[in-house]
Amino acid sequence: MSIPIARCVTDPATPADRLRDVTRTIDKAAARANRKAHEVTLIAVSKTQDAAAIRPLLDAGHRVFGENRVQEATAKWAELRADYDGVELHLVGQLQSNKAAQAVALFDAIHSVDRLSLVAALGKVAAQSGKHPACFIQVDLAGEPQKGGCPVPDLAELLVAARDAGLTVRGLMSVPPNGLEPAPWFALLAKIANDHGIPQLSMGMSSDYPIAVTLGATHVRVGTALFGPRI
């Protein structure tokens, strides 16, 4: 049975319409996999979007957002968090070790923990600040160093180091190779997580999040399907 894929939005739908459509798609995908929809967290990826573009989703009741850059997120979310309660921010882009303190202060979850130097930096900041964001280890499943990610053979070592550093490791994250069918890569990440006893999976974006949900995603990172095509 084929699984529907989310398409880029090209109609004049409102942000609330798009949020409703994406939520319904997640509900249906979860049902096909005999899962509960509440097991899947929708991260609205608001990178490059200004505060005015984000407010309609906040007004519609959504509270979980993803950003790629610490500096960009700091500038706009100070204003937005002052106006809306209960916002949860996820860092879904690469993180430089020298920005660990800013990231821990701003984000509730970091999805791109991928190397020993970053683990050490985050662990030091967490110990000093007492704030422990949820951490996802980014895994490089296909040997694509340009995307970041820990190579699969090094994952066990990184997990030990992360836990020894006091990080709260909640899940694994990965991005399938461009142009390839994503399902096998999602299934592989799910298997690796299960082998290591890791409960959460951050996988799936606008083009493939329904497939990710059917294969066990607990967090999907959706931008275009919510905010519309980039101009």
Side-chain angles (χ1 to χ4, degrees):
M1 179 178 66
S2 62
I3 298 173
I5 303 298
R7 304 296 180 187
C8 290
V9 178
T10 56
D11 61 31
T14 68
D17 292 334
R18 294 169 183 161
L19 176 62
R20 182 175 59 251
D21 290 344
V22 170
T23 300
R24 286 175 176 170
T25 300
I26 290 172
D27 292 348
K28 292 176 181 177
R32 283 195 299 273
N34 294 316
R35 301 180 64 200
K36 303 295 184 183
H38 66 77
E39 297 173 358
V40 183
T41 297
L42 170 60
I43 302 171
V45 178
S46 48
K47 66 177 182 179
T48 74
Q49 304 291 336
D50 60 17
I54 296 169
R55 284 182 182 276
L57 284 181
L58 287 162
D59 290 338
H62 195 69
R63 288 295 183 270
V64 185
F65 291 83
E67 292 285 344
N68 266 36
R69 299 177 183 273
V70 173
Q71 187 171 350
E72 177 191 344
T74 300
K76 63 190 177 187
W77 283 101
E79 169 193 346
L80 291 168
R81 274 182 154 166
D83 293 338
Y84 297 90
D85 294 330
V87 170
E88 184 177 306
L89 282 185
H90 293 239
L91 179 64
V92 298
Q94 296 304 115
L95 176 62
Q96 296 175 332
S97 297
N98 63 4
K99 288 187 167 58
Q102 293 171 273
V104 169
L106 180 63
F107 291 98
D108 301 288
I110 298 172
H111 290 239
S112 50
V113 180
D114 63 354
R115 60 197 185 278
L116 291 172
S117 59
L118 181 56
V119 162
L122 290 171
K124 181 179 179 180
V125 172
Q128 292 173 342
S129 67
K131 185 180 178 189
H132 295 267
C135 290
F136 290 74
I137 304 297
Q138 183 174 354
V139 183
D140 178 13
L141 296 175
E144 297 179 290
Q146 75 276 11
K147 287 185 177 177
C150 173
V152 175
D154 299 337
L155 178 59
E157 178 187 5
L158 189 63
L159 285 169
V160 170
R163 288 163 177 155
D164 287 348
L167 300 187
T168 304
V169 178
R170 292 281 175 79
L172 301 182
M173 184 274 263
S174 193
V175 179
N178 292 334
L180 296 182
E181 166 59 42
W185 303 99
F186 293 152
L188 176 58
L189 189 68
K191 180 183 183 304
I192 293 171
N194 183 67
D195 290 345
H196 288 278
I198 298 174
Q200 297 185 1
L201 292 169
S202 173
M203 58 188 196
M205 298 184 288
S206 287
S207 63
D208 54 24
Y209 71 92
I211 297 173
V213 170
T214 64
L215 291 171
T218 60
H219 295 72
V220 293
R221 309 179 305 272
V222 179
T224 301
L226 290 170
F227 290 100
R230 295 181 190 176
I231 299 173

